[in-house]
Amino acid sequence: MIGRKASTLGLGILLAVAACGGGNTASNSPSTSQNIGGSVTLWAEWSSSEQQAFKAALVPFTTSTGVTVNYTSKGSTISTALGSAIQGGAPPDVALVPDPGTVQTLAKQGSIKDLTSIVGSLSANYGDAWNQLVTANGKLYGVWFKGANKNTIWYNPAEFAAAGITTPPTTWEQVISDAATLKASGIAPFSLCTDIGWPVADFWQNIYLKTAGAASYNSLSTHATKWTDPTVTSAFTTFGQLVGDPSNLLGGLNGSLSNSYPTCVDKVFPKTGAQPKAAMVFEGDFVANEVKANSATYAPGTTGNGGAACSIDPAKTPCYNFFDFPAPAANAANQGAVQGAGDVAIMLKDTPQSEALVKYLAGPTGASIWATAGGFTSPNKTVPTSAYPDPVTQKDALALVNATSFVFSLDDLQGTWEPMMWQDMLNFLKTPSNVSAIQATMDTQATAGLGH
Amino acid sequence: MAEIGTEATPRARRRAAAVNEGGNPGGGWRDHLGSLAFLAPGAIFLLAITVYPLAATARNSFYDATASNYVGLANYKEIFSTSSILVTFRNNVIWVIVFPFLVTFIGLVYGVLSERIRWSTAFKTIIFMPIVFSATASALVWRTIFDLDPHIGIVNATIQTASDWINPPGLYPVDPSAGQSVAGLVATGVSAGPKDSLESSSTVTAGNPVELGLIGISPATLQLVGAQTAVVPTASPGAVTGLVWRDFSPSNPTARGQVLPDELGFPGLKLTLLRSDGTSAGTAVSDAHGDFSFGSVGSGSYKVQIDSSNFSSGFTGIFWLGTQSLTPTSSLNQTAQALLSVPLVDISMILAYLWIWAGFAMVVIGAGLASLDREVLEAARLDGAGEWQTFRRMTMPMLAPVLIVVIVTMLINVLKIFDIILNMAPGSSQGDANTLALAMYNFGFTGGLGNWGLASALAVILFILVIPAIVLNLRRIRG
């Protein structure tokens, strides 16, 4: 599940519309230039400021095709809403869903349209891993629009400096040793966002990806690898090296179990008037939006505003930065693998208007507009790096596009037993010694949930 | 409909009887057209939004997640063999046993009380008010009230205030409930002493300054109490002198044992000089540079103790919304635990729900009290019954029908309890606080496309469980 917290949006959107409108190269430009008119209904999960940003990203589409987009926000339960609408016989023309598991199910049911010929060469705008997630029986059923990089551990550079840590950790072992250094300097190493299950799952999935590798990860996600597998045990044990010692966690176990997202981010990157209570927080790249919302003084990178040194006090020159989730030294080969998530456009009714919209979403125009507005990363290779507002976001977006292997957030591929998986992960946090029982439970649940 | 005619047919007799009883006057279904026309909208409405969904849910409960393939009793089997789903039954049982009786009792107390106090209208208004708030809003408010952090949750804040008054926290609180330990502060020249104190590792003598290095306390904490750069004290004949300092230098984070220029002293530490037999030879408090001095001590050898009171964290909060069980079940297996433990979060939520519904119980019971026959009560008193006897032997029996209405209404209410759990229990406790209605929602509407089969089976079970309460209520209304 993606934490959905959008950045503040300014007039930048409007400027971006003007700037990006004509910036496409000929090969990527969607053939939506002829004015076809009419309208298209579109569902996605985004509301409030994200909805505004998305609508701004659709303005060039309406301008060039004359097609009115009737957008409805369905919130986080969009997949269920879509399922009901399909059963009821009145689905929207196009929808953006946050889980490829739903795309696969709907494709098998024949409820969504094959986009292979409609998208055509535009599919080359995405890496193979992305297209593979929405391909069923050799046919492409989805077009990715928004991505999220979950390979990011966010840290307060001023706290690292105060603990004498000059370079962020590049191996898991260094994460553990840096945690000890941070504790010695008097700050809690991690603020966990685990009053709910999905952030624990995201954390564990990163560890599984970095210990077992992308092939095992994909195999586990379809339950071809059992949850009782030794690779799973090993990932739990590795995770336990950190969370098994509650002094690594802000507030210990109970503190972690009542630390909600985005409050957990505020503990590391506080609002003006408060002090950081922890040095690191793990979650996807959407953390950056929360940091910037806390105070405009936060500067991306390791230098404060005006070139000053990073300061702990958010009223002065605080900074925020991330490092890539590190693999254990013995598994360095998996270092380039990236876990992420995203929203994918699917077509439920084949009309000229919905075809035009799908092609538009596969191109760089809309994504570039939202990228410039901030709080957005695109898995689309043709979105220029320069569209992103700062070096930290650029690094984040490049990691998403250039990953040696990309895997989708595993919990979002589990369908109906996803909420149970989150509870199991929380149970591990509560009793890290109970690994084998938890693994057995998870395997039973996965069998029931996935039907094999 | 040709039978209308001969008087002798049984059907005609029945019809005639119906007419005599004041049933439908006239004869033939055509005569009913008018009334049918009036009934139709209601009947269609009932069919469309009650009967059809009921039938569809019952059907879906025998089908798979997408409600398209028949799976027999598989969903029911899964429900009764999965411990995380069995937990929902346990929680429903806890709610059903505890809540209706408690809320009725409190309603009765409030009801009796409101009859006897001045300002009873104001009292009743205040007690009744929570019922007009949305349950979701109330749940969110109570989630905050029970928050773990005493800076947020008023319950923990109240306990903390009282606790700090009796047992004030030290300048350098170390919170064991957050996984911290006093022994974790040890860096140079100190080791863990008895009862969360620290003491110098080696013995000290007068005239030889001792250096005690601690880690794990942030510079921000030290600066807050006025810490300055650590300074090694000069030797002073006849006095045990020394330094307690933050043995952590950002410029050299792994170096221990040296007093470096970017290291701070520990001000305000309470220290005791211990003789070899463990008795106190004097006390001292460190200054802003972390220096301390025990003046005019003898020539013996001593140990310097950093008192445990420096590290007392006081009360740091009870996790009211946590899943710690109130019944000892940790030795049992998973299924037995699921069935027998009583998580604290359930009790906290029941308290919040009492706050919401006590007003309703009070108003209904109050109305019942007001309609009691005063003369009977008066007669009882004249016959020499005391207040308690009157209440126990006269008021209660006469009030019983009203009390049962409240209990049954609340029973149905908590059987389908949902919103308070979704909104008040943090996600980390929801697995243990889950109820049938919430599980039904979670299976049906979260997690990809949802598991309609399982959610429908839960709905059917919930429906069956509510039936006895509904029958009881209907009987009461009829009787």
Side-chain angles (χ1 to χ4, degrees):
Chain A
M1 187 142 180
I2 311 168
R4 283 120 193 156
K5 191 84 190 176
S7 69
T8 47
L9 293 162
L11 288 166
I13 299 165
L14 293 172
L15 297 172
V17 172
C20 296
N24 311 324
T25 57
S27 64
N28 302 316
S29 181
S31 53
T32 52
S33 47
Q34 77 275 33
N35 197 313
I36 48 179
S39 70
V40 58
T41 52
L42 173 63
W43 287 8
E45 57 176 334
W46 303 305
S47 58
S48 65
S49 55
E50 285 183 305
Q51 175 173 343
Q52 286 177 299
F54 182 48
K55 282 183 150 179
L58 293 174
V59 168
F61 170 71
T62 305
T63 313
S64 60
T65 59
V67 177
T68 313
V69 180
N70 294 318
Y71 175 78
T72 311
S73 166
K74 289 285 164 183
S76 58
T77 54
I78 180 162
S79 298
T80 324
L82 211 53
S84 307
I86 291 166
Q87 289 261 332
D93 297 330
V94 178
L96 285 139
V97 291
D99 54 324
T102 296
V103 178
Q104 293 288 346
T105 312
L106 294 178
K108 281 185 197 106
Q109 286 177 9
S111 308
I112 53 176
K113 309 294 176 203
D114 174 13
L115 301 179
T116 317
S117 60
I118 297 166
V119 173
S121 63
L122 289 173
S123 66
N125 289 356
Y126 304 94
D128 282 345
W130 288 95
N131 282 334
Q132 209 55 50
L133 284 163
V134 289
T135 300
N137 294 329
K139 292 173 188 162
L140 185 70
Y141 282 95
V143 162
W144 291 95
F145 184 68
K146 187 175 191 290
N149 177 359
K150 294 193 175 184
N151 191 41
T152 48
I153 296 180
W154 296 86
Y155 69 100
N156 189 323
E159 288 294 350
F160 268 41
I165 302 169
T166 46
T167 49
T170 53
T171 64
W172 176 253
E173 288 78 6
Q174 281 171 13
V175 170
I176 304 291
S177 66
D178 283 347
T181 310
L182 287 161
K183 274 191 278 182
S185 86
I187 183 122
F190 272 96
S191 168
L192 288 190
C193 312
T194 51
D195 97 314
I196 200 157
W198 59 265
V200 206
D202 282 348
F203 207 133
W204 184 88
Q205 286 157 196
N206 266 337
I207 291 176
Y208 189 77
L209 174 63
K210 297 295 165 100
T211 52
S216 298
Y217 183 102
N218 287 328
S219 166
L220 182 68
S221 73
T222 57
H223 201 217
T225 294
K226 297 229 166 272
W227 281 89
T228 46
D229 195 78
T231 55
V232 177
T233 317
S234 154
F236 272 119
T237 315
T238 309
F239 193 24
Q241 292 166 0
L242 181 77
V243 299
D245 178 357
S247 69
N248 284 327
L249 314 175
L250 177 65
L253 176 61
N254 284 349
S256 299
L257 293 176
S258 57
N259 203 8
S260 61
Y261 186 89
T263 314
C264 57
V265 177
D266 306 346
K267 305 270 172 71
V268 180
F269 306 102
K271 295 185 171 81
T272 309
Q275 293 287 324
K277 293 190 166 65
M280 292 181 267
V281 59
F282 160 73
E283 249 315 324
D285 51 10
F286 35 85
V287 164
N289 303 333
E290 184 60 30
V291 176
K292 282 178 270 185
N294 276 353
S295 171
T297 54
Y298 279 99
T302 51
T303 316
N305 283 328
C310 294
S311 83
I312 288 170
D313 187 350
K316 291 173 183 163
T317 55
C319 317
Y320 68 98
N321 202 2
F322 74 88
F323 59 88
D324 292 332
F325 200 103
N331 310 103
N334 300 328
Q335 185 53 47
V338 169
Q339 184 205 173
D343 294 85
V344 59
I346 50 179
M347 192 166 85
L348 297 107
K349 284 191 207 151
D350 198 351
T351 66
Q353 287 83 4
S354 50
E355 282 189 20
L357 179 59
V358 165
K359 276 188 229 169
Y360 175 78
L361 292 173
T365 314
S368 301
I369 292 169
W370 197 343
T372 309
F376 179 89
T377 41
S378 173
N380 191 321
K381 289 181 198 165
T382 55
V383 173
T385 314
S386 58
Y388 296 98
D390 59 69
V392 168
T393 322
Q394 285 171 5
K395 190 174 127 195
D396 165 29
L398 279 177
L400 204 60
V401 177
N402 297 338
T404 56
S405 50
F406 173 83
V407 297
F408 204 82
S409 208
L410 187 140
D411 51 356
D412 289 340
L413 302 171
Q414 300 309 306
T416 55
W417 82 282
E418 182 183 35
M420 290 175 154
M421 180 187 158
W422 291 338
Q423 284 300 332
D424 296 328
M425 289 292 173
L426 284 165
N427 284 341
F428 171 75
L429 201 62
K430 292 177 192 173
T431 48
S433 57
N434 208 12
V435 175
S436 57
I438 289 169
Q439 281 182 269
T441 306
M442 293 180 88
D443 203 63
T444 314
Q445 291 169 344
T447 308
L450 299 170
H452 56 262
Chain B
M1 296 286 161
E3 78 279 355
I4 316 167
T6 54
E7 291 264 317
T9 61
R11 204 178 282 196
R13 271 204 301 275
R14 278 204 303 276
R15 267 171 21 80
V19 171
N20 289 342
E21 280 169 14
N24 304 316
W29 63 275
R30 283 188 184 80
D31 300 331
H32 295 301
L33 267 181
S35 34
L36 280 177
F38 280 106
L39 281 174
I44 290 166
F45 199 60
L46 195 73
L47 279 172
I49 70 160
T50 307
V51 179
Y52 170 71
L54 205 67
T57 305
R59 173 208 173 264
N60 286 351
S61 75
F62 298 106
Y63 281 70
D64 69 353
T66 54
S68 45
N69 299 307
Y70 182 75
V71 294
L73 288 170
N75 289 321
Y76 292 93
K77 270 185 203 149
E78 190 181 343
I79 288 171
F80 290 107
S81 61
T82 310
S83 61
S84 61
I85 305 179
L86 288 174
V87 164
T88 63
F89 288 95
R90 177 204 68 201
N91 287 323
N92 271 68
V93 167
I94 294 173
W95 277 92
V96 163
I97 290 178
V98 177
F99 184 77
F101 296 96
L102 212 52
V103 77
T104 310
F105 174 75
I106 292 174
L108 185 61
V109 170
Y110 282 164
V112 172
L113 210 63
S114 66
E115 279 206 322
R116 299 174 182 222
I117 57 167
R118 301 164 83 192
W119 304 98
S120 75
T121 310
F123 174 78
K124 279 196 254 184
T125 307
I126 289 168
I127 300 294
F128 189 73
M129 211 182 287
I131 220 163
V132 305
F133 304 150
S134 101
T136 301
S138 301
L140 292 172
V141 167
W142 278 91
R143 180 173 178 163
T144 313
I145 288 173
F146 280 121
D147 198 283
L148 174 65
D149 185 351
H151 294 105
I152 300 169
I154 194 169
V155 175
N156 280 331
T158 309
I159 301 172
Q160 191 184 48
T161 309
S163 159
D164 286 358
W165 188 54
I166 300 159
N167 176 27
L171 280 183
Y172 307 102
V174 171
D175 183 3
S177 69
Q180 299 169 338
S181 71
V182 174
L185 304 181
V186 166
T188 301
V190 285
S191 48
K195 289 182 193 160
D196 281 345
S197 66
L198 295 172
E199 53 185 40
S200 54
S201 307
S202 50
T203 53
V204 297
T205 50
N208 296 311
V210 58
E211 295 170 14
L212 308 175
L214 302 183
I215 53 168
I217 302 291
S218 72
T221 307
L222 288 166
Q223 275 152 4
L224 212 61
V225 290
Q228 294 182 12
T229 311
V231 176
V232 182
T234 49
S236 157
V240 170
T241 56
L243 161 75
V244 186
W245 93 107
R246 181 175 182 259
D247 192 7
F248 185 94
S249 159
S251 57
N252 197 353
T254 52
R256 298 280 179 269
Q258 300 153 271
V259 181
L260 298 169
D262 59 353
E263 295 179 337
L264 297 169
F266 268 70
L269 276 177
K270 291 176 186 137
L271 303 145
T272 310
L273 193 64
L274 297 176
R275 295 192 186 90
S276 51
D277 61 358
T279 55
S280 165
T283 59
V285 175
S286 60
D287 68 10
H289 299 285
D291 295 341
F292 60 86
S293 167
F294 299 94
S296 54
V297 293
S299 59
S301 61
Y302 303 93
K303 280 198 167 183
V304 176
Q305 183 187 59
I306 307 174
D307 297 349
S308 61
S309 66
N310 295 301
F311 308 117
S312 162
S313 61
F315 176 82
T316 53
I318 292 171
F319 194 17
W320 295 101
L321 301 177
T323 59
Q324 58 274 43
S325 176
L326 300 175
T327 49
T329 53
S330 51
S331 58
L332 303 174
N333 72 34
Q334 209 182 359
T335 310
Q337 275 193 29
L339 291 175
L340 295 174
S341 60
V342 178
L344 182 58
V345 61
D346 273 8
I347 305 304
S348 304
M349 290 191 301
I350 287 174
L351 287 175
Y353 213 55
L354 281 174
W355 176 80
I356 297 174
W357 283 103
F360 166 80
M362 176 194 70
V363 166
V364 176
I365 294 169
L369 282 170
S371 65
L372 288 185
D373 190 348
R374 300 282 149 175
E375 284 176 17
V376 178
L377 300 179
E378 205 57 35
R381 290 203 181 93
L382 282 174
D383 288 345
E387 272 304 301
W388 172 245
Q389 269 183 313
T390 315
F391 180 76
R392 174 78 191 76
R393 305 271 172 192
M394 308 304 296
T395 311
M396 281 293 280
M398 289 198 288
L399 206 55
V402 177
L403 297 182
I404 289 172
V405 166
V406 175
I407 289 176
V408 173
T409 311
M410 289 295 119
L411 194 85
I412 297 172
N413 188 326
V414 295
L415 264 173
K416 56 191 175 71
I417 188 139
F418 169 81
D419 39 12
I420 195 155
I421 296 164
L422 182 65
N423 295 298
M424 187 169 159
S428 57
S429 299
Q430 292 227 334
D432 287 272
N434 208 355
T435 57
L436 277 171
L438 182 59
M440 183 179 83
Y441 165 78
N442 282 336
F443 279 118
F445 301 100
T446 62
L449 293 166
N451 186 341
W452 292 6
L454 199 61
S456 300
L458 281 165
V460 168
I461 292 171
L462 188 57
F463 178 68
I464 291 168
L465 290 176
V466 179
I467 287 175
I470 292 174
V471 169
L472 200 68
N473 236 12
L474 284 178
R475 282 236 179 102
R476 295 217 64 80
I477 292 169
R478 223 185 285 151

